[in-house]
């Protein structure tokens, strides 16, 4: 186990060459401990030939919103997606469109609900009709609230997996055929530092992130020979809408929907039940969310051969770098001894 002191607030993140000012340890990329600032001070503006078509999920707020604006301002053509653009997310969609008009950005808002096959297929089809290609997919959409796992119904857990796992897989299935036909592409899979260890009261959420860590790494091996990179982005702790207000709202809904039987289960845990709410408290002094957007923007500019398996952002680097180093060595040995060394 890493010797560094680990605090909950440093790892409750959401949801390359690398973001300025954000310390990162990288498995499969730069040596652990080397910082983003050592690689680049700014995200360059894309030239006409370097302009990418970028599709981002979950852009109504948080990392996704900032990433959409950052990449568009860097000269890329961004398709910022979110669900319910004519309902709950009318205002976030309007703000992005207004900013795009005021700043003359190539930024389009597209309605995609990653929980529904038809919505994903329709939305991705719209992007392809408009741009004729997709160079970068940023899987950012996420869903979170804490709870005692025993009190969550199968439907509760399924709903979390439907966004955090199946939603990302739906997007991959819709986009990867185009990337493979192009012979190049980048998929950024946003997980979290909690994709590598566990906190109580977060079993369902962390379970989704562990699942995506495994599937994203498997996809990386399967796609590299076809020109498509998969990079797992692991933010540390940031104050984003994933926790407040969204996580707090979903937590209140969970409490309201508890059956009498599950309410009794919860009560039988005593004060442990209230301790779940500690995961909804935003902490002062956390890094600027822009660090994550800058990291993704710099990753887009990084040559394919230099992109890491995992990219740690902010407070996650100082202790997870050691974990990733051990994992990478073991994984390499297993792959080589099993006859898959050529896919590394």
């Amino acid at each position: 186990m890493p010797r560094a002191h680990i605090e909950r607030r440093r790892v409750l993140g959401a949801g390359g060459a690398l973001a300025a000012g954000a310390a990162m340890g990288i498995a499969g990329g730069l040596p652990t401990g080397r910082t983003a600032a050592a690689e680049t001070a700014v995200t360059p503006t894309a030239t006409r030939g370097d302009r990418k078509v970028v599709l981002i999920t979950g852009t109504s707020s948080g990392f996704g919103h900032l990433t959409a604006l950052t990449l568009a301002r860097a000269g890329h053509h961004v398709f910022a997606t979110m669900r319910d653009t004519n309902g709950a997310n009318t205002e976030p969609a309007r703000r992005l469109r207004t900013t795009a008009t005021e700043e003359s950005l190539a930024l389009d808002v597209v309605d995609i609900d990653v929980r529904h096959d038809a919505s994903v297929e329709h939305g991705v089809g719209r992007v392809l009709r408009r741009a004729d290609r997709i160079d970068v997919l940023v899987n950012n959409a996420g869903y979170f609230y804490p709870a005692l796992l025993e009190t969550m119904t199968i439907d509760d857990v399924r709903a979390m997996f439907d966004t955090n796992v199946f939603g990302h897989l739906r997007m991959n299935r819709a986009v990867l055929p185009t990337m493979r036909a192009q012979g190049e592409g980048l998929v950024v899979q946003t997980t979290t530092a909690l994709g590598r260890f566990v906190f109580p009261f977060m079993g369902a959420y962390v379970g989704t992130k562990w699942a995506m860590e495994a599937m994203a790494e498997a996809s990386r091996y399967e796609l590299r020979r076809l020109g498509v990179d998969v990079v797992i982005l692991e933010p540390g702790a940031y104050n984003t809408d994933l926790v407040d207000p969204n996580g707090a709202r979903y937590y209140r809904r969970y409490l309201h929907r508890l059956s009498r039987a599950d309410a009794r289960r919860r009560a039988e845990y005593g004060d442990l039940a209230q301790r779940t709410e500690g995961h909804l408290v935003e902490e002062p002094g956390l890094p600027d969310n822009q660090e994550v957007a800058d990291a993704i923007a710099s990753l887009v500019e990084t040559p394919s051969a230099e992109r890491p398996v995992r990219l740690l952002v902010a407070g996650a680097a100082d202790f997870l770098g050691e974990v990733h180093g051990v994992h990478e060595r073991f994984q390499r040995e297993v792959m080589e001894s099993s006859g898959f060394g050529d896919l590394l």
Side-chain angles (χ1 to χ4, degrees), residues 320-335:
L320 275 189
E322 183 176 343
V323 173
H324 288 341
V326 173
H327 170 83
E328 183 186 4
R329 290 192 297 272
F330 180 72
Q331 184 69 22
R332 179 171 292 276
E333 290 177 6
V334 170
M335 290 283 285

Side-chain angles (χ1 to χ4, degrees), residues 87-122:
N89 284 323
T90 298
E91 182 57 24
R94 186 198 64 79
R95 286 199 306 269
L96 278 177
R97 290 181 176 122
T98 299
T99 301
T101 299
E102 291 174 348
E103 299 183 22
S104 299
L105 302 176
L107 191 159
D108 296 298
V109 177
V110 178
D111 196 306
I112 291 181
D113 187 337
V114 300
R115 301 170 302 175
H116 298 291
D117 293 352
S119 178
V120 169
E121 291 166 7
H122 176 77

